[in-house]
Amino acid sequence: MIVAGVMSGTSADGIDVALVRLREAGGSARSPQRVRFELLGHAAFPYPRKVRQAVLQAMNASRASVADLARLNFLLAELYGEAILATEKKFHKRVQLVGCHGQTIYHQGEPQPFLGKKIAVTWQTGEGSVIAARVGAPVVSDFRPADMAAGGKGAPLVPVLDYLLYWDPHVGRIAQNIGGIANLTAIPAGATPRDLIAFDTGPGNMVIDAVTDRLFGRPYDGNGRIAAGGRVLENVVAVILRERFFRIKPPKTAGREEFGREFVAEFLRRCRGAQKADVVATATALTAWSIADAIGKFVVKQRGGYRELVVSGGGSNNPTLLAMLAKEVRPLGLTVRLSDEFGLPAAAKEATAFALMAYETWNRRPSNVASATGARRAAILGKISYA
């Protein structure tokens, strides 16, 4: 079956589409994966500037127009449909199923009081019925709520793919995705799905992008050039890493609610008086140090034979960030590798994950990893919209 996986991350920079061929593979004691996949092609589609502005304004907004949120739900679906059709045309393939994560507008993985009840909530926008009608194929969307209904945090969901990609009978690997938020999946040598550890480690590119935009008028620090010319304000990073999020044990999840506008404003206040390049360097170090801190506190202390840190996501394109990360994890016995070395380009990984999840849902199989999300049970994820 050919499935289109569609991903829009917390950086809100655009749409990633991966065309993936999936088939049953059985599984054995030596290789327990029951599904095989082949990436047929992938493409990226930046959001138009005004659309990106609307998405960023809607994220974690204290006030928003209900009408505009409804319009955004349908507008993004149209853009997703156009992106899938363009990818089909580019690679001369016809998809039979779509897995669309949607654009996260709000995610609160921890229950909080609301009108007499304590509830955890999430909202991914992009209407599945519209995508199905435009593409002419069923769409699985809205993946997080089923995990949350089972007591999980609704994230991270990518561990189901990490397990397929990085499982090894002798080598423990940590898959580190650096998107807007950074998250990891720790796969001990010879692990079963129940052995996985996965959680959000903190900011990925989100804070780096925000301060680069604020100070230099650029959407991101291309190739880490600005950070490379700056000096890290070590005391600022050290103070931030003592904050509650970095101390609490996994499972845990984060988003713009933790590291968005308010966090960036406080971060800039802490860096007041520093050179602008130093502020970007410090934001970059915060990502690298928080990843290493999380691995040291919550992963390598567990048995698992961990030797490799496999990096994917937009952060894998930032040499300055990678150099900082490699330096920080070396004392933990880890070597940094890129996901491209394992046959899946970093830019296609998350979209591929949602193609896999859609395939599992279509076959009425769960695809959350309960040990990662904190769910009480395995859950079949998503809602199906028919063409």
Side-chain angles (χ1 to χ4, degrees):
M1 173 181 262
I2 297 179
V3 185
V6 186
M7 179 64 190
S8 300
T10 49
S11 295
D13 46 9
I15 302 165
D16 294 317
V17 181
L19 302 186
V20 185
R21 179 177 282 118
L22 291 133
R23 62 181 177 83
E24 299 298 301
S28 67
R30 289 188 176 182
S31 181
Q33 299 92 333
R34 65 167 178 259
V35 176
R36 299 289 184 198
F37 73 91
E38 175 190 1
L39 179 65
L40 303 176
H42 65 99
F45 303 85
Y47 280 144
R49 183 176 60 85
K50 289 185 178 180
V51 172
R52 185 170 192 260
Q53 288 176 345
V55 169
L56 290 173
Q57 288 170 2
M59 285 179 170
N60 194 30
S62 57
R63 290 180 178 273
S65 161
V66 173
D68 284 348
L69 292 176
R71 292 168 183 140
L72 190 61
N73 183 41
F74 277 69
L75 173 63
L76 289 179
E78 296 286 359
L79 295 179
Y80 293 148
E82 290 171 6
I84 296 165
L85 293 173
T87 308
E88 284 185 325
K89 183 176 181 180
K90 179 178 180 179
F91 294 101
H92 309 287
K93 303 294 180 184
R94 185 83 174 92
V95 305
Q96 298 157 281
L97 182 68
V98 174
C100 182
H101 174 264
Q103 183 68 63
T104 299
I105 296 300
Y106 188 79
H107 184 78
Q108 175 208 306
E110 293 285 346
Q112 294 183 13
F114 180 73
L115 301 179
K117 293 280 188 181
K118 287 190 76 173
I119 54 173
V121 300
T122 192
W123 187 1
Q124 283 70 50
T125 193
E127 179 53 52
S129 295
V130 173
I131 304 169
R134 300 298 176 264
V135 176
V139 174
V140 184
S141 59
D142 211 15
F143 289 88
R144 297 194 193 280
D147 178 80
M148 296 177 76
K153 300 185 185 303
L157 297 180
V158 175
V160 66
L161 176 63
D162 290 333
Y163 184 64
L164 279 181
L165 276 173
Y166 306 125
W167 181 91
D168 187 276
H170 307 296
V171 178
R173 294 187 173 119
I174 301 169
Q176 180 70 57
N177 179 67
I178 308 177
I181 291 294
N183 52 75
L184 66 76
T185 305
I187 308 144
T192 70
R194 288 177 296 189
D195 300 323
L196 304 188
I197 303 169
F199 58 95
D200 290 349
T201 58
N205 303 312
M206 185 180 294
V207 178
I208 303 169
D209 292 350
V211 299
T212 302
D213 182 56
R214 188 82 62 90
L215 299 178
F216 291 89
R218 302 177 192 174
Y220 56 90
D221 181 13
N223 291 318
R225 291 190 191 94
I226 298 173
R231 178 180 62 87
V232 175
L233 307 176
E234 297 186 5
N235 59 320
V236 172
V237 180
V239 169
I240 292 173
L241 290 181
R242 291 199 290 268
E243 293 181 359
R244 180 179 181 273
F245 176 84
F246 301 105
R247 291 185 286 106
I248 59 176
K249 294 179 180 180
K252 57 182 177 178
T253 182
R256 288 191 178 274
E257 297 73 25
E258 288 76 22
F259 299 108
R261 284 183 290 266
E262 296 83 359
F263 180 89
V264 169
E266 177 62 16
F267 179 84
L268 290 171
R269 188 195 66 77
R270 293 179 189 272
C271 296
R272 188 178 297 151
Q275 297 293 318
K276 291 194 292 184
D278 295 349
V279 179
V280 178
T282 302
T284 306
L286 174 61
T287 294
W289 293 16
S290 61
I291 290 170
D293 183 64
I295 293 170
K297 283 179 180 173
F298 306 120
V299 179
V300 296
K301 290 182 179 179
Q302 311 293 324
R303 295 175 62 185
Y306 298 109
R307 299 181 201 167
E308 298 175 348
L309 181 69
V310 186
V311 181
S312 62
S316 65
N317 298 315
N318 184 330
T320 305
L321 174 57
L322 290 180
M324 288 183 178
L325 183 58
K327 179 182 177 182
E328 293 301 315
V329 300
R330 196 173 297 120
L332 301 175
L334 297 172
T335 300
V336 172
R337 300 181 65 183
L338 298 180
S339 66
D340 299 56
E341 298 175 45
F342 293 82
L344 184 62
K349 185 185 169 192
E350 288 193 290
T352 299
F354 285 97
L356 172 61
M357 282 179 251
Y359 178 81
E360 293 290 83
T361 297
W362 190 251
N363 286 285
R364 301 186 179 184
R365 296 193 296 243
S367 56
N368 67 328
V369 177
S371 62
T373 66
R376 293 184 295 271
R377 56 176 173 80
I380 299 174
L381 305 180
K383 302 176 178 72
I384 301 176
S385 303
Y386 292 92

